[in-house]
């Protein structure tokens, strides 16, 4: 219950520190008989991998997943799927300078306070490297979703905001640029901007939008486990996320009910979709869409003042290989968490009716 | 696992439909030896109660809580606390007109699809009346929190937005106006606006902000159960909520890391608090603050077109006694959910260190 | 997590002390659309009820269940089923004598140690009265089990042991005698013996056997949640239970593998059933059968020495209205717990295969 | 929820098939700051290891555990402990003969029925090899238990029964003979008997007794999670276990309450301990003791008739390297599961009182 598991029936438990021997996880509850495309899994990891373009961290981590169990002759057996990604490129010395001091807006300080000490190498468990395990599990969950399609993309970097509704976008463009923005012009603007931020040794925040299509009606549970509540907690559990909104979101608060309501078509679909595909916490068959806000990465490659364990002021120089902007690499993470949620509710929905 | 429970160690399970015999719940895991102030519990229910002012629904529901167990001679015994609020003012006939038709942006349609049929009276389980049980449990949780103080308030109604940082506000004003806005001038503007909306038989959305003070360091779990992830799911599980952000939130995405980072003071506090009191999912002792977006209530007292079970178009007139704006009554609900989260992590934190 | 919930998908949470206002519970996860026979539920409660015969406690408790939610027009709605049994016959004064002293082999002492104090009236939460809530939930679970039949009966009282295999028994006899033994001759012997024990103001232990027929193949999970492990914990959670064995049980340890193994018939059934219907933790379609050992009730109506809160020796006289032998009334409790387990695994099995 | 996790706060999730790449697990919730003696962990694995004596299977499996995370500079960090035991001695061909046929009293048949197919090599997930992961976790749990001591030993093999109360035994003898019986004379008798059974290519059952000393008062939860109910499910989840009893157990049913009750000493201890150290599901500070019944191993090295997937009769010859009697190697497994239960309740107890 120390919060390293996610899901009820399709359940992921992860382990691993950024500079330990390996990261990985166990998926419990994956149904038997799923023929897994292992290349698709590695491909999702590659989308998250460092060094994939000029605008992300240049760390070299192969991030190759190794499966230990739960798959036999290419099919899931219904038993737990254990897997690991072995660390190969640990430059622990990069972190010697933070062993005794606390990086601003990192978890260093609270870890020492909560646990009494910490694995200071690369942030240890608080490193976003942990999300590699989520991407593996999400890639397996995706293969359970049948017709459902999950498309995440970068819709904002700093003040550069894509002001198009998702219906106007061509998702096939997403993987054609390093930013993962479905609008090529905006993608280039964002790319240039991230490069300039990188030059400054600084970082910048962004927003990832996600659209889930072909969703069956009836996923989600009415009260505490509303579909959007679980999606929200899934997204908020990703490193650096500061906010979540779905459907009309924060903008919806300014609308009147008469204007906000989604009128029905005879077939039960709705003429508009301000509900974001979810009513009363349950999917209504319309597209689900939501936005996830990411703060700027805390590690800036600049000199800064902070404190050490004794509370003495120290001046430090940010080092290591870090992302100037996290959203391009976070796109597959958002998709993975969304896939875990949808797979779990898909299994759960089977027990709703007699 | 059908999602009617919340919490791990301080665990609430709720039951009840808006027009059934009673609503209520069971709190499992409340420590023994807590002297409960029962008046404070009823007082929280009264803050949520219909009919408390001219700008909320005029339904008359006493909402008196009755405790069945877990309390002996005024103290919690450590055994489950069972309680119920008996329904007394059910005007089921008010809902005969929706028995066979689906109200836009309500859960009627998805319930029929998910469960095969539904208790159509007043929305049944999907009614916000369910939150009365949360308020009871939250009022008990508050009594476990010692120095911690939870203050929620209305910061926006429609386009009327309170543009002051919470530090500039006088929380003692919150309960002095029916809107529950800590700025009296803005409160009056909001009140007038809600009245005009009501006259139109329409509804309007709003935002509730919440500040948690005197938070001990170390609450929250690092990965999936980050403090803000659980707070977010708690808030998103409240009826009509469309978004959640904490600390710098969505605005933070436009900032550079060098400007966003919170520098440390020698005592471990931070000079700024864009982190919103949480770093890496763990409380750092600074104030926790977040915003919750509420859409406009779907039930408008106007004529509207919709469909019936056969998918035929029907024209209906919105009836019943409803809130023109939900946020004034939702303030104690936001506080209750926040209290449940903080109480649960307080108990959980006890098992972190040897 | 303080252990007042049972089950994963068909989940019961109970509350209530023997002398509080009410006992009851919440069933979360009952599928929608189950037409409930409420008389059958009350009938199960009556099988457990005090005062039903001369060999059980003569307390008069109507034990009438009241449903609050989750049932609409006679059918389950898929929402939580809240219910309560109001206490009407509390003679708290009966217990004044134990307020400050500890009854041997009762939970009085450990409750004071664990919680700091206790509701001393009638054992409070540790009273077997809590099982009334389980019987209600079990009676609902039974209505989910289709062809599955659960038959529990008394197979031993003190040294009086029914030495027949369950296949030789006529289950229709069970309810025809107050002992609930399917062999009328043995039932009469047991009844006379219990009466003699009662005359002595003493108590005696016994064994309940249970047979589950028409079990589908594939219920149970392979590792920690083996079907017999969950059945075992369900039975061991019943007051006064000291042991559980299934299939060949403790006698099986003396057998050789060549003699113990169950050979297959061509249709997958087995010629013998020493496995007790479960292989590797999963039902194999054969009858499931197990034994549950109950110790003698601790409350004897005799004078005894014990200690008070100050650790001083006190001599007390056992009072109140108690069962000389608990097994006749425990038969419906064993069936209820078995039904909860089988219903839960039935729902869980739906998510095993794609 | 497919049952590969055990525990609430000290939580083990295991993965792995007997002939897959590796077995292992994740421990979530181990407190930070525990200095781990890794040799003690490997030593427990060695106690379970094949080939350790002439009376166990002669398979050669080094069973060396590799830790991936959660331990830094010799101390637990409070983050999940991931570990694996890589398989090195897989003779899958040994199992080709059972690919299409079902071994009597094995899980082969039910796995095919439940999952549609199975990893037939060495029983796959249903192999007792899975328990190696439990032994690793249990060895870590033991290091959390302070003064608590867990001693398991073999008390019966076939009809050879150790008829001494545990108080009369010298636990230091347990590891001095291959049977792990604390009585040297009986140990030799058992050893000779197991050897004769082995010569016959047959197998025999047995009983393991376990004593937990220096238990703090107050562990266990009153209703469904009674200490003995969780201990029971833990033991029943071990391969080949058919029964569990604690304290007076099945023999207690023949006693009268006046004789069974444990009278108190002034200090709260009891003069006798038929309660087995647990009253009302909560530890009372006296020794906890229980018995676990193991059936004879199903794999006999003899010719036997069975069926194949088509339901046709086939005659097979038992092959492979198997234990003639499982109890000597199961002693550390029983201790491991007991340690997991006691560690979990120790953490849980911290949240009982304010």
């Amino acid at each position: 219950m120390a919060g390293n598991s996610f899901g009820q029936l399709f359940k992921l438990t992860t382990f691993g520190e950024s500079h330990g021997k390996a990261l990985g996880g166990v998926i419990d509850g994956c149904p038997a008989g799923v023929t897994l495309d292992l290349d698709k899994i590695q491909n999702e990891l590659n989308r998250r991998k460092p060094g994939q373009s000029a605008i992300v961290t240049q760390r070299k981590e192969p991030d190759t997943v190794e499966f230990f169990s739960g798959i036999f002759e290419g099919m899931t057996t219904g038993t737990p799927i254990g897997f690991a990604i072995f660390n190969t490129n640990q430059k622990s010395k990069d972190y010697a300078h933070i062993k005794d001091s606390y990086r601003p807006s990192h978890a260093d300080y609270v870890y020492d306070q909560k646990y009494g000490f910490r694995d200071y190498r690369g942030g240890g468990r608080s490193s976003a490297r942990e999300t590699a395990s989520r991407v593996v599990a999400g890639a397996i969950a995706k293969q359970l979703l049948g017709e459902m399609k999950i498309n995440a993309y970068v819709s904002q970097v700093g003040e550069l905001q894509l002001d198009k509704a998702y219906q106007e976008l061509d998702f096939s463009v997403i993987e054609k640029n390093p930013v993962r923005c479905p609008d090529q012009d905006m993608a280039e603007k964002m790319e240039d901007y991230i490069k300039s931020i990188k030059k400054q040794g600084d970082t910048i925040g962004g927003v990832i939008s996600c659209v889930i299509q072909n969703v069956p009606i009836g996923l989600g549970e009415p009260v505490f486990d509303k579909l959007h509540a679980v999606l929200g907690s899934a997204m908020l559990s990703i490193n650096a996320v500061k906010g979540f909104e779905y459907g009309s979101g924060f903008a919806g608060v300014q609308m009147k009910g008469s204007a906000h309501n989604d009128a029905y078509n005879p077939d039960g679909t709705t003429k508009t979709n301000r509900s974001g595909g979810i009513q009363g916490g349950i999917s209504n068959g319309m597209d689900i869409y939501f936005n996830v806000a990411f703060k700027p990465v805390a590690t800036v490659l600049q000199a800064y003042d902070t404190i050490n364990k004794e509370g003495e002021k120290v001046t430090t120089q940010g080092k290591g290989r870090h992302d100037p902007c996290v959203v391009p690499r976070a796109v597959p993470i958002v998709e993975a968490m969304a896939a875990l949620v949808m797979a779990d509710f898909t299994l759960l929905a089977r027990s709703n009716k007699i």
Side-chain angles (χ1 to χ4, degrees), chain A residues 34-328:
Chain A
V34 183
T35 303
L36 287 183
D37 181 334
L38 298 180
D39 295 342
K40 282 187 178 171
I41 299 169
Q42 187 58 50
N43 178 52
E44 290 297 316
L45 272 176
N46 295 343
R47 292 175 71 206
R48 184 203 158 280
K49 203 171 67 176
Q52 62 183 275
S53 79
I55 59 170
V56 304
T57 169
Q58 294 309 299
R59 280 196 305 276
K60 293 268 166 294
E61 292 159 352
D63 282 357
T64 308
V65 62
E66 214 173 294
F67 289 100
F68 294 147
S69 64
I71 305 171
F72 185 57
E73 295 173 347
M75 265 200 301
T76 59
T77 58
T79 63
I81 300 170
F83 63 88
I85 296 163
F86 286 88
N87 286 322
T88 58
N89 186 246
Q90 310 144 320
K91 299 198 177 178
S92 301
K93 61 173 164 35
D94 282 359
Y95 298 95
H97 68 293
I98 57 163
K99 176 177 181 179
D100 301 316
S101 74
Y102 299 126
R103 293 167 297 172
S105 294
H106 273 83
D108 305 340
Y109 175 75
V110 290
Y111 265 60
D112 270 5
Q113 294 289 318
K114 185 181 179 73
Y115 301 110
F117 79 119
R118 72 184 201 276
D119 176 350
Y120 53 80
R121 302 165 303 164
R125 184 68 176 157
S126 69
S127 162
R129 184 144 176 65
E130 179 271 340
T131 59
S133 302
R134 307 188 190 195
V135 169
V136 171
I140 291 174
K142 277 183 177 179
Q143 300 188 38
L144 287 179
L145 297 181
E147 290 308 294
M148 251 188 274
K149 288 270 157 295
I150 300 172
N151 293 290
Y153 57 90
V154 172
S155 58
Q156 183 170 357
V157 172
E159 295 181 351
L160 293 170
Q161 185 165 9
L162 185 62
D163 55 2
K164 288 179 180 166
Y166 75 85
Q167 294 88 342
E168 310 163 46
L169 299 171
D170 174 3
F171 293 156
S172 73
V173 176
I174 296 172
E175 290 302 308
K176 293 190 174 137
N177 61 71
V179 182
R180 296 202 162 88
C181 172
D183 179 293
Q184 194 56 38
D185 298 345
M186 178 55 82
E188 284 159 22
K189 288 199 194 73
M190 290 173 168
E191 184 174 358
D192 295 341
Y193 181 56
I194 295 172
K195 284 177 177 167
S196 69
I197 288 288
K198 186 181 177 186
K199 263 200 209 64
Q200 303 162 35
D202 214 331
T203 63
I204 188 71
V207 173
I208 291 177
S209 299
C210 185
V211 181
I212 312 179
Q213 298 166 306
N214 309 326
V215 182
I217 304 177
L219 302 187
E221 299 301 325
V223 179
F224 295 111
D225 293 353
K226 289 182 165 75
L227 180 49
H228 55 270
V230 179
L231 279 169
S233 93
M235 299 306 148
L236 287 157
S237 77
I238 299 171
N239 309 52
V241 171
K242 304 294 285 188
F244 170 87
E245 62 178 358
Y246 81 103
S248 58
F250 275 89
V253 306
Q254 302 194 8
M255 299 181 73
K256 294 181 179 178
S258 54
H260 189 277
N261 286 347
D262 296 315
Y264 281 106
N265 295 312
D267 63 359
T269 60
T270 58
K271 300 180 196 303
T272 53
N273 183 19
R274 296 181 192 91
S275 299
I278 302 172
Q279 280 166 341
I282 300 167
S283 64
N284 68 351
M286 303 294 288
D287 294 342
I288 291 171
Y289 63 97
F290 55 84
N291 296 321
V292 186
F294 289 77
K295 70 168 187 169
V297 175
T299 302
V300 293
L301 303 185
Q302 304 175 346
Y304 59 83
D305 293 340
T306 188
I307 58 170
N308 63 18
K309 285 184 177 172
E310 287 63 44
E312 300 156 339
K313 178 180 165 183
V314 291
T315 303
T316 315
Q317 171 64 43
K319 293 187 207 145
R321 299 151 298 172
H322 300 281
D323 291 283
C325 182
V326 80
V327 286

